Every structure is written in structure tokens, then in C-alpha cells.
Amino acid sequence: MVYFADMHTHSTASDGQYAPGELVGLAKEKGLTLLGLTDHDTLDGIPEAVEAAGKAGLRVLPGIEIGAKEYRSLHLLGYGVSLDDPGLNGFCEQMKAARDERKYRIIDFLKEKGVDIDLGEVEAHAKGGVVARPHFARVMLEHGYIKTNREAYEKYLDTDEYKRIAIRRMSARDCIETLHRAGGKVSFAHPYQVKLDDGALEGLVRDLKGWGLDAIECYYTKHTPEMQAFYLSLAGKYGLHVTGGSDFHGELVKPDVPLGRLELELDWLLDG
């Protein structure tokens, strides 16, 4: 069965602009029949989203996005995970604590670079969720330290110097196994962000498949037609399913990334 879906979105439970219920409302307006809520390192937004989806007449698939240690932008999307799994919940609690501690280190790091902003303003943008880099970027933008959100990452929050305060991550293999134990299936998110050439990327996909990877996010906002074709060929070669999503955070966070509406065959994900 084909669904009108966006399988990669974020809410205020992590670093998105909209509360989970508001995000469901946007999905309804977009004509989606299925929404994948995949906040970073947390499941906190899922109950609100599922409740709102029941009233709106669409389906929310519980999801999560987690990063692996091998590459800074090696991210894995877990779909259909149990909200009661002790292993995954333990991981989420560890990440929440790590992010809470990291926010002070980010403030100090930015001050070293001449960017003096108030942590209270950053926390206000998080709206009760975990404080993440996009919240810092928004305050920096408001105070004129940067002209675009992207500039915050290029100059400060995604540099080699920043790596010394980055959160420690599990291996990709451990990420996949953690998500599988929670009853989920796993997709390799936005492959282009790992910044490997085609041969090295295929080697990574082969390794991930060996560790249990289920799918590749072939359809993504920033993928060129050539990238998309290559990722589809990898999916076929290694027997992987195909997923897609926008990586929607809201126009204040990612102004150039609207909510998606992809036609995806997802029975393998929903019936298993």
C-alpha cells in the first residue's frame, strides 16, 4: 500500500519548532496519511503526537533519530519502536542528561569565540524540550551574531573545534541493535551528509547491512537526482527497503525545508 508520508520530522521534544500536536495538524493540512516523528534521542513527543493523530484521522509511527560515533553525521532512524523498552529508554535518559550538561559547555565555548548570549533565552526556545544546537543558533541570529542559521554551524557549532564538546555516541552497530531490541526497524538517514565518496559510502552501507540495517532514506530534501538514483541502486543491491522524509524542523529552524508529502510503499514497515 502506498502512503502519503513524511518519515523524518522533528518537534519541540528535540529541536523542532512545533509541538508534536501542532506538527500533526500541519501533516493533516498537507494531506499526509502517515507521519514519522523522529526526534533526536528522545521519544517524549510520541504520546502527544499519537493522541493528536487519532483525532485528526491520520497515523503517527513512533520513531527516533540517533547518531553513531563513526561519522559526525551518520544518523539512523528507528521506526515502530516500543515506548516501554528499557534499553531504548535508558539510552534516551543518558542522552537527555548529556545534552543538559552540554548546554553549559556550549555557552562557554561560544563566549570563547566572542559570542555572549544568555542560556535562559536558549532554553526558552527549547520550550521545555532538550536544549540543542538549533536553539543556540536562533538566539545568535536574534542578537546579530550570524545572518543565517547555517552560519551558526559553519562558524561555530559544526567545526573541528566544536568536536571537543560534542556528545559521545554509540557505534552504528550498537545503535542498530538497540533499535531492533526495541522492536523497531532502522533506516540510514540522509546518506549524503556523511560526506563519503560513492565507493566508501557503499562500503559503509554494506557494513550497516551486515549489522542489521533495514532501509535507506533515498528520498530526502537535499538529495540531488544523481544522489537519489545512487541510493536507490544501493537499496536494490543490498536488499534494503526505501524510506524518505523532509527532515522538517519548522521554518524558523530550517527555512528551506518544508514538510514533505512523499508517496511511499511502507507495508514492510507497518505490518511487521
Side-chain angles (χ1 to χ4, degrees):
M1 178 177 176
V2 174
Y3 294 82
F4 294 107
D6 189 333
M7 299 303 295
H8 190 164
T9 66
H10 298 274
S11 76
T12 52
S14 63
D15 57 352
Q17 176 181 343
Y18 294 99
E22 294 175 323
L23 180 58
V24 169
L26 295 174
K28 179 68 174 180
E29 292 176 7
K30 191 80 174 184
L32 301 188
T33 54
L34 180 66
L35 178 71
L37 178 57
T38 54
D39 278 311
H40 297 282
D41 303 327
T42 182
L43 302 169
D44 287 352
I46 300 297
E48 179 184 332
V50 170
E51 181 180 358
K55 297 175 181 177
L58 58 90
R59 180 171 179 177
V60 164
L61 188 65
I64 189 170
E65 181 174 7
I66 60 180
K69 70 179 183 180
E70 285 86 348
Y71 299 96
R72 178 156 179 76
S73 294
L74 173 51
H75 290 184
L76 298 162
L77 297 162
Y79 294 117
V81 295
S82 169
L83 303 189
D84 301 318
D85 180 74
L88 185 55
N89 277 309
F91 164 79
C92 290
E93 287 302 315
Q94 289 176 5
M95 289 297 101
K96 183 177 181 180
R99 287 179 184 276
D100 192 53
E101 189 272 336
R102 182 189 63 168
K103 65 188 180 185
Y104 300 104
R105 290 187 285 130
I106 293 178
I107 282 289
D108 291 341
F109 172 76
L110 290 175
K111 284 183 179 179
E112 291 175 8
K113 301 300 178 184
V115 178
D116 191 2
I117 58 176
D118 182 69
L119 181 57
E121 291 185 55
V122 178
E123 291 173 326
H125 279 300
K127 298 180 180 179
V130 293
V131 175
R133 289 182 299 163
H135 305 127
F136 285 92
R138 287 174 65 181
V139 175
M140 292 163 67
L141 185 64
E142 290 168 358
H143 288 275
Y145 286 106
I146 54 174
K147 294 181 180 180
T148 66
N149 283 344
R150 186 66 254 164
E151 189 178 345
Y153 295 89
E154 292 172 347
K155 287 188 173 182
Y156 306 102
L157 301 176
D158 199 18
T159 63
D160 287 339
E161 282 188 272
Y162 176 82
K163 290 179 182 178
R164 63 184 168 88
I165 61 172
I167 294 173
R168 291 186 178 182
R169 295 286 181 177
M170 295 190 294
S171 69
R173 183 171 190 166
D174 287 341
C175 290
I176 292 170
E177 290 177 354
T178 296
L179 293 168
H180 279 168
R181 283 194 297 266
K185 294 179 180 176
V186 186
S187 181
F188 178 11
H190 42 58
Y192 88 100
Q193 287 193 11
V194 183
K195 298 180 180 179
L196 296 175
D197 62 38
D198 287 355
L201 183 64
E202 180 170 354
L204 175 59
V205 169
R206 185 167 54 246
D207 289 341
L208 294 172
K209 170 66 176 181
W211 299 327
L213 185 72
D214 300 290
I216 302 179
E217 188 175 56
C218 296
Y219 303 109
Y220 182 77
T221 305
K222 302 293 186 178
H223 288 172
T224 65
E226 292 77 18
M227 290 176 184
Q228 182 175 295
F230 179 57
Y231 305 148
L232 286 168
S233 72
L234 290 179
K237 183 174 182 177
Y238 292 98
L240 295 163
H241 295 287
V242 171
T243 63
S246 65
D247 205 358
F248 178 76
H249 285 67
E251 58 275 7
L252 294 179
V253 183
K254 291 188 174 182
D256 57 342
V257 181
L259 189 65
R261 188 174 184 269
L262 297 165
E263 294 186 37
L264 298 171
E265 196 291 301
L266 296 170
D267 283 345
W268 64 272
L269 182 58
L270 301 173
D271 295 341

